[in-house]
Amino acid sequence: MKLKTMKHVLICALLGACAGCSGTNEKAAPLVTSNGLPFTAPAHYPAFSWDEVPVYMMFADGSRLLKDSEVQKIASETDFICIEKNHGLEPLGDAVLGLEHENQAFKQVKPGIKVLGYLNGALTYPFTRYTQMLTAGKVDQHPEIKAYLMTDPKTGELVKTRGLYGYNVLNPDMRAWWSDAAADMVRVGNADGIFIDQMHGFGWLHPKEQNQAVIDGVGDMMAQLKAKIGPDKILLANNGAHIEPVFAVSDAFMFEHYKRSSTHTKEKLLQDWQLMEKIADAGKLCIYRFGATADGSLPLDAIDQGQSQPRLTQDEYVELSKKQLELYLALYLIGAQPYSYFQWNWGWKLQTGPLEHYPEFHKPLGKPLGKYTREHPQGWEFTREFEHASVWVDTDKWVAKIEWK
């Protein structure tokens, strides 16, 4: 009897499939992309499994640090997080210290969790030791750093966007200083990598003939940063997968979908899925982020005409996020690849999603049984089968259905 059992275990290990092995073989089975390429993740990547929806979270609370119960809750939902912008700024005086504190807290609860820091690649949020002087009342006292900022060519005055100064990516000294700062955040925070926001380099503020120089400048910033943090740290570029110099040096990419009228169109969503394949085929990670919106029931043309959004309470947003989840989760599942994660929130604060519970994230999903199918060559209905879910979405009519098996 013992010999038979040993043979059974050996056969299961060789075949990678066995109904009586508690699902362990499914996790051990090799991952492949939609194009049939094997995906072998390096050791510094976060955990990934098709057992349930792979979730990524990103959040901040500038007024306080996380409670133990909040650390436990978030760690139970995901293996991959980012401590955002100004987290812990008020109690600690520096978002870098906020990252360090929360990274330690999460690692005590879940040693394998991957924790990223945050730094903006274009705007001078003054939440860190590197950028705290970049405000109207302080910047003149730091002329060496002031020289790194965008100026109006006509007036010579510093340019402000959303109340913040911007970095001039055409300045090589700025790129070296910025990449030093980002790498130091990873070091001090003992983080597993860093999320870099805004890959645009303020291209519209530079003359058109400098467009390529701006792209090259952003690429050089990211290349310097990657070299400084090393091959075993994750460099995550927000909305940067389409920028070739950024794609070449980054480990991970986010599809943020921050503006429905431009990033939710059926053409853009199809491009997303194609880029997700390219990312996975290259052995890189991606995060597919959507957020519940108060205008979610409006057609795109109404939104484009500037129809105002209703103001909602916290409880109303919680309910709205539960109602809208199926559509956006379906959009993710149609294009999901190995090491692509889903992020669902309605903002970037701790209170805008990460502490909520969504049963769909805990239903059995199973591996995809193939690439998505476009039902008609010129149509906008797409379907995809997973072991435990059937997904259908119409990106023209903006409707979707997930049938959990």
Side-chain angles (χ1 to χ4, degrees):
M1 188 68 179
K2 290 184 178 178
L3 181 60
K4 182 178 180 181
T5 301
M6 291 176 62
K7 287 182 177 179
H8 174 77
V9 172
L10 179 59
I11 291 171
C12 289
L14 291 173
L15 296 180
C18 173
C21 293
S22 303
T24 56
N25 290 296
E26 181 181 49
K27 292 183 180 180
L31 296 168
V32 295
T33 71
S34 290
N35 295 319
L37 297 180
F39 193 113
T40 303
H44 66 282
Y45 277 18
F48 180 87
S49 171
W50 289 116
D51 290 352
E52 298 176 351
V53 175
V55 172
Y56 166 91
M57 290 189 186
M58 186 167 176
F59 49 84
D61 189 326
S63 66
R64 65 177 179 87
L65 298 169
L66 296 177
K67 301 174 184 178
D68 290 345
S69 60
E70 293 167 341
V71 172
Q72 293 275 359
K73 197 277 178 187
I74 293 171
S76 72
E77 299 277 348
T78 178
D79 295 285
F80 194 17
I81 65 173
C82 175
I83 308 300
E84 228 259 15
K85 274 192 191 72
N86 64 335
H87 185 77
L89 181 62
E90 189 173 317
L92 298 178
D94 182 3
V96 181
L97 297 179
L99 166 64
E100 180 186 33
H101 182 279
E102 304 300 15
N103 182 39
Q104 185 177 12
F106 276 104
K107 293 295 174 61
Q108 289 176 348
V109 170
K110 197 174 194 179
I113 194 169
K114 301 300 180 181
V115 181
L116 307 182
Y118 170 101
L119 199 65
N120 200 289
L123 293 172
T124 60
Y125 286 105
F127 304 139
T128 70
R129 62 189 65 185
Y130 322 110
T131 58
Q132 61 186 356
M133 73 293 294
L134 298 177
T135 62
K138 298 178 180 179
V139 68
D140 286 334
Q141 302 170 29
H142 301 272
E144 72 285 358
I145 299 180
K146 183 178 179 180
Y148 300 157
L149 307 179
M150 291 290 299
T151 57
D152 187 317
K154 295 181 180 179
T155 66
E157 297 295 320
L158 295 178
V159 175
K160 278 195 171 183
T161 302
R162 288 158 43 185
L164 297 166
Y165 300 124
Y167 300 120
N168 182 359
V169 299
L170 299 184
N171 185 326
D173 293 333
M174 189 286 296
R175 301 196 298 265
W177 166 83
W178 179 91
S179 56
D180 281 343
D184 191 65
M185 174 179 273
V186 174
R187 180 187 62 80
V188 174
N190 197 27
D192 299 291
I194 192 164
F195 176 104
I196 302 300
D197 206 359
Q198 302 202 38
M199 300 285 100
H200 52 70
F202 286 113
W204 63 91
L205 296 178
H206 292 278
K208 289 184 178 180
E209 59 269 21
Q210 293 182 323
N211 283 353
Q212 188 58 50
V214 170
I215 293 172
D216 292 342
V218 172
D220 178 63
M221 283 173 61
M222 298 293 279
Q224 287 193 49
L225 174 54
K226 181 58 182 174
K228 290 170 183 177
I229 63 175
D232 60 343
K233 299 292 184 179
I234 298 170
L235 176 55
L236 199 167
N238 188 19
N239 293 321
H242 65 289
I243 307 171
E244 285 304 321
V246 173
F247 187 90
V249 300
S250 301
D251 305 283
F253 307 92
M254 176 179 280
F255 297 84
E256 186 181 355
H257 302 114
Y258 56 90
K259 188 176 181 182
R260 184 170 179 181
S261 60
S262 61
T263 64
H264 293 44
T265 65
K266 55 183 181 290
E267 295 84 4
K268 179 65 171 61
L269 294 171
L270 181 56
Q271 292 173 5
D272 284 351
W273 299 331
Q274 294 166 347
L275 265 178
M276 290 171 81
E277 291 181 7
K278 176 183 176 180
I279 291 167
D281 288 346
K284 300 173 185 279
L285 308 96
C286 79
I287 292 100
Y288 203 68
R289 182 264 172 183
F290 271 112
T293 55
D295 60 3
S297 61
L298 298 176
L300 289 178
D301 55 356
I303 298 168
D304 288 337
Q305 292 167 14
Q307 186 166 334
S308 61
Q309 297 187 39
R311 299 180 68 87
L312 302 182
T313 65
Q314 170 77 5
D315 289 342
E316 287 173 329
Y317 257 119
V318 170
E319 290 305 309
L320 188 66
S321 73
K322 293 177 180 178
K323 292 178 181 178
Q324 293 186 359
L325 174 58
E326 183 175 42
L327 168 62
Y328 294 102
L329 180 57
L331 292 174
Y332 158 77
L333 289 173
I334 290 293
Q337 301 291 324
Y339 284 85
S340 62
Y341 301 79
F342 183 64
Q343 182 183 2
W344 179 240
N345 58 0
W346 61 90
W348 298 102
K349 296 181 180 179
L350 179 65
Q351 297 77 18
T352 59
L355 299 179
E356 303 305 323
H357 178 72
Y358 300 100
E360 292 88 339
F361 294 166
H362 301 281
K363 293 183 177 182
L365 175 63
K367 64 184 179 183
L369 302 181
K371 185 177 177 176
Y372 65 80
T373 298
R374 191 171 190 174
E375 295 299 286
H376 305 285
Q378 303 304 318
W380 297 97
E381 290 184 63
F382 300 85
T383 59
R384 196 178 188 193
E385 293 293 322
F386 292 78
E387 288 179 307
H388 305 298
S390 295
V391 185
W392 168 83
V393 64
D394 186 327
T395 54
D396 187 38
K397 297 180 180 178
W398 207 243
V399 290
K401 181 66 178 177
I402 302 173
E403 293 185 359
W404 301 94
K405 303 173 185 177

